[in-house]
Amino acid sequence: MIYDNDSTADREATSRTTGRHLVVFADGADFAVEARELRSLAGITETASAQHLRSQRGGLDQLDASPATVFDRLHIAVVDADPDQLTAIRAARHTDSPVLAVEPELVHHPLAAPVLTQTWTDTNARTWGLAATCVQDSSRDGSGVRVAVLDTGFDLEHPEFARRALTQRSFVPGESVQDVHGHGTHCIGTACGPKSPDDCRRYGVAHRADIYVGKVLSNKGSGFDRNILAAIEWAIDGRCDVISMSLGANVRSKSLAYEAVGRRALDAGTLIIAAAGNNAQRPRDPGFVGVPANSSTIMAVGALQPTETMGWFSAGSTEVDGGQVDIVGPGVGVYSSWPMPARHRSIDGTSMATPHVAGLAALWCQATGKRGRELWALLTQNARRLPLPSSDVGAGLVQAPH
Amino acid sequence: MADPIDVTITVDDADRGDLDRIAESARTAGLAVTAVLRRVGIISGTVHRSRIETLRTSPGVASVESATGFEVAPPDSPLQ
């Protein structure tokens, strides 16, 4: 801060300043020149050199005692000067004197830690997860975007989806898309649930996205590569923009098949988003991101609590190339749809965080037209950074576009 | 003889346009094909363990992996 206006500097007589002043000298000036200037301009005869003081025992205690101390390498002097002396020194700035500037010495304080986290709760209006990800403030609804959820199917009789168009297919031999387990209904609710459900809080992100239900897990909750890969094929063929997979195997090493499939999906403009895994027992065991989320071509989602700390079960990054957690979503106490007659349920899991990210990907896709790798970049760039290890949270908490 | 196992075959990028021929070579090498997925370049099937190495060297095959199984928690579990 170099003031051209002398009176501005003098007005700084507040607790922010010490009453002393900094005199800034040109780089070419040495201690002898600086001391001579201060003597001739302001009559200051005892100018100390900080370099000299440092070399003497107890010398640094003298720093405040001298009326003027030069910091040799910085070519800056701290001076105790009265108003007349200051006027004289300031006047030298407009001559060929080595004095460049005169400023009040400021008092500095450590900066308060920024508030980077908060605690959320469900309200009557919305789930905590929709608030923490700023979905409520978003102007986007996922219109025109296709979101495939590959899971245990969906409760096709759920009243909150009565007027919602669904594209559906079962990849489980001998079973229909109708969700008997519940997991799929919950995930689809989070990703794409209605904006204003009757008699309950809002729980869904992309409330006007086109829903593609791919049943790849049986009513008992199990599935195989061939079901899942066939469903991914179907979703890409159907030009889905996002595929949400709240499923994983506790296998640390990478699957070359999912690595290739994730890449081929991205090449086709489809972003696959998968759960990081629930195999942690934090704090003692951070777990590990498993297949298929540990593919470098598939986005891995961890689970956050309403206190914005990690879910105890949420798997952490591994050394596997692609085994990193990329982003986190709300994953504890997540309220969403459940098969009738229960209608709703609150559960935990990286399975619940994943459809948040999928629904948010739909909002970003709608807002920008971006797909595939560019959509991935948008999600991570716009995530809210958290004061937690990136090996746990990746880029941070997913956020909605405005 | 041991039962055949489920395998997932990833087809080379360069050969994805030739999936039917690759599937045919894989059958010759002992694979019972259950699915040929063109978009993602995957062939699913079952094969006896003793034939896996041969299958690996079949034209256009980038990898042969035993199929992964996936499970979610039972419906009444609070952790999903």
Side-chain angles (χ1 to χ4, degrees):
Chain A
M1 288 181 301
I2 296 189
Y3 298 104
D4 283 336
N5 182 349
D6 292 346
S7 62
T8 313
D10 286 336
R11 257 186 262 125
E12 297 276 355
T14 66
S15 58
R16 285 209 306 122
T17 59
T18 63
R20 286 150 56 96
H21 286 76
L22 305 183
V23 179
V24 183
F25 291 96
D27 284 353
D30 63 14
F31 176 75
V33 166
E34 290 153 357
R36 189 182 63 224
E37 281 298 291
L38 291 175
R39 188 183 323 115
S40 71
L41 293 171
I44 296 172
T45 53
E46 292 166 42
T47 298
S49 153
Q51 189 174 335
H52 179 67
L53 288 178
R54 264 197 306 276
S55 69
Q56 300 203 304
R57 187 205 285 275
L60 287 179
D61 298 335
Q62 303 296 316
L63 266 179
D64 283 347
S66 294
T69 304
V70 168
F71 292 92
D72 310 70
R73 285 192 195 275
L74 303 179
H75 304 290
I76 292 181
V78 181
V79 304
D80 248 319
D82 62 34
D84 288 338
Q85 287 172 306
L86 285 173
T87 302
I89 298 170
R90 282 202 182 99
R93 292 174 302 165
H94 307 300
T95 70
D96 59 3
S97 162
V99 173
L100 292 182
V102 182
E103 300 168 6
E105 183 186 32
L106 299 177
V107 179
H108 293 271
H109 302 281
L111 298 175
V115 174
L116 282 178
T117 64
Q118 41 193 309
T119 295
W120 303 92
T121 54
D122 283 356
T123 67
N124 288 338
R126 83 299 179 272
T127 59
W128 77 264
L130 296 185
T133 53
C134 297
V135 168
Q136 291 285 79
D137 301 330
S138 178
S139 62
R140 302 296 175 174
D141 54 18
S143 294
V145 181
R146 299 177 177 192
V147 177
V149 179
L150 307 188
D151 208 295
T152 58
F154 188 63
D155 178 4
L156 302 168
E157 304 301 312
H158 200 288
E160 278 147 30
F161 293 80
R163 282 179 304 285
R164 198 69 178 274
L166 294 176
T167 304
Q168 44 153 302
R169 179 130 159 222
S170 174
F171 296 87
V172 178
E175 292 191 10
S176 74
V177 167
Q178 182 61 21
D179 182 14
V180 172
H181 184 287
H183 192 267
T185 299
H186 198 274
C187 292
I188 289 173
T190 298
C192 303
K195 181 168 183 175
S196 309
D198 294 333
D199 303 327
C200 74
R201 63 180 66 92
R202 178 179 172 185
Y203 53 82
V205 176
H207 59 91
R208 298 197 53 186
D210 295 333
I211 302 173
Y212 280 60
V213 182
K215 183 165 182 150
V216 301
L217 299 171
S218 68
N219 293 324
K220 293 210 159 47
S222 66
F224 297 92
D225 276 355
R226 77 182 106 90
N227 316 117
I228 293 158
L229 296 170
I232 293 174
E233 171 104 347
W234 166 77
I236 298 173
D237 270 340
R239 290 175 295 118
C240 289
D241 304 285
V242 179
I243 296 176
S244 187
M245 302 208 299
S246 290
L247 51 88
N250 289 333
V251 173
R252 192 184 188 103
S253 54
K254 187 201 287 273
S255 157
L256 299 172
Y258 284 98
E259 181 76 19
V261 167
R263 176 166 50 81
R264 291 163 181 172
L266 288 171
D267 290 344
T270 298
L271 175 59
I272 302 180
I273 300 171
N278 297 338
N279 54 38
Q281 294 267 3
R282 293 171 183 272
R284 72 177 155 82
D285 176 4
F288 59 89
V289 177
V291 171
N294 66 356
S295 309
S296 69
T297 52
I298 292 177
M299 185 175 247
V301 182
L304 214 60
Q305 302 203 60
T307 49
E308 296 192 353
T309 52
M310 294 308 293
W312 61 266
F313 50 82
S314 187
S317 301
T318 67
E319 72 292 344
V320 170
D321 166 41
Q324 299 83 19
V325 175
D326 293 301
I327 202 165
V328 291
V332 173
V334 176
Y335 175 92
S336 183
S337 44
W338 198 256
M340 298 299 279
R343 196 162 180 149
H344 305 110
R345 194 161 165 225
S346 268
I347 50 178
D348 305 341
T350 54
S351 288
M352 282 63 253
T354 300
H356 279 94
V357 177
L360 280 145
L363 302 191
W364 281 101
C365 179
Q366 179 195 11
T368 64
K370 302 295 186 199
R371 306 180 79 222
R373 291 175 179 90
E374 289 182 304
L375 184 55
W376 183 320
L378 277 173
L379 288 165
T380 54
Q381 284 160 3
N382 291 285
R384 175 151 61 83
R385 301 300 185 262
L386 298 170
L388 293 172
S390 60
S391 53
D392 288 340
V393 302
L397 177 59
V398 66
Q399 298 289 287
H402 293 306
Chain B
M1 175 144 48
D3 288 335
I5 61 166
D6 286 305
V7 291
T8 300
I9 293 172
T10 306
V11 172
D12 277 328
D13 282 342
D15 295 300
R16 282 173 60 200
D18 227 355
L19 224 49
D20 290 326
R21 191 176 60 79
I22 294 169
E24 202 41 54
S25 302
R27 277 189 191 95
T28 310
L31 181 74
V33 174
T34 54
V36 175
L37 304 174
R38 276 159 224 296
R39 277 237 184 233
V40 294
I42 297 282
I43 299 171
S44 300
T46 59
V47 71
H48 286 283
R49 278 182 209 279
S50 59
R51 310 302 312 264
I52 287 182
E53 279 315 307
T54 309
L55 196 51
R56 282 206 169 103
T57 62
S58 201
V61 169
S63 67
V64 179
E65 296 170 298
S66 58
T68 312
F70 300 86
E71 299 251 335
V72 291
D76 56 3
S77 169
L79 176 62
Q80 297 277 346

